[in-house]
Amino acid sequence: RGVGRLLSREEIRKALIQNLGSWTSGQGLADSLGISRAAVWKQVQSLRVEGYEIEASKMGYRLESLPDLLSENLVKSGLKTKFIGRTVISHQSLTSTNAEAKRIAPSAENGTVVVAEVQTIGRGRMERHWHSPRGGIWMSVILKPKIPPSLAFRVNIAASIAVARALEGLYGLEVGIKWPNDLMVGERKVCGTLTEIGAEMDSLEYAVVGIGINANIDPDLFPEEWKATSISGLLGREVLRLELVQSILEELERACEGMATSFDQVMGEWSDRSATLGRKVRIITRDGEFE
């Protein structure tokens, strides 16, 4: 019975999204699903609890706009990829999307996406804390390219290029890449990437690429020493996170093409976008610092 209710809710969700902005007959939904009008109303109520703003009238039900949610169904709906995002696992809260993706990576299919509304113990490079409140994009993609571990760095480069292309394509932002993990607009960080691998001596089992984006976050929440900002802060308006996630996944698949053979085009683009080449830099490692 519980499975039946879940299936009914998903069918109602799909119908409302398909008829976005138009009225969908409640009786028509009931007839097509073989349930009562009261059961349809109960499922609509559960969708409202999830965050869907659904109007009701004598004409039926109407969804005016897509909610800013990163649920499995919404991310997959309309996603133009061959393998990335075919499986999406969404959570309200996780300690870390990378930690969860690494846990399931051995048995997960290539291109699986793990996304969370909030990370409670988000991590950056060298185990630094990554502030991950609601309103950002916190996701990890499990990739299984046929490359040796020595070329695993290409995954992180592909992810950086994908995010940069998406931010420029959707919002016209000029994005620089600060080696090895940061994406910058001007001198302010808007995104960080973190790639972790599982490998044997001569073969890469998986690469988990974590992507954390300050999307709809008040930039005043960031300490000044972080030199961070958000997309909404730069644009003066909030953005639809769903649209951005889908664009990044599509660009990531493009950037991953030919990873095992010629990667020259992506490497060239990475060099062109570099915010550090030609500048004096200080490198901070576990063993110390050098310039």
Side-chain angles (χ1 to χ4, degrees), residues 125-194:
R125 183 169 167 265
M126 295 172 65
E127 300 299 322
R128 295 189 181 103
H129 176 65
W130 177 270
H131 187 56
S132 313
R134 193 171 297 276
I137 292 172
W138 323 119
M139 68 175 177
S140 299
V141 184
I142 300 169
L143 297 172
K144 299 185 176 181
K146 291 179 171 53
I147 57 175
S150 61
L151 296 183
F153 70 92
R154 291 183 174 183
V155 175
N156 206 65
I157 288 175
S160 298
I161 292 298
V163 175
R165 287 175 180 172
L167 293 178
E168 290 186 359
L170 289 174
Y171 316 122
L173 296 172
E174 187 172 336
V175 182
I177 299 173
K178 180 181 176 182
W179 182 89
N181 298 91
D182 298 346
L183 281 92
M184 318 287 290
V185 176
E187 296 295 320
R188 295 280 175 176
K189 179 176 177 177
V190 295
C191 171
T193 62
L194 177 65

Side-chain angles (χ1 to χ4, degrees), residues 4-16:
R5 284 197 298 269
L6 183 61
L7 290 173
S8 297
R9 184 167 73 245
E10 294 309 312
E11 290 302 319
I12 292 169
R13 188 204 311 265
K14 288 178 184 177
L16 292 172

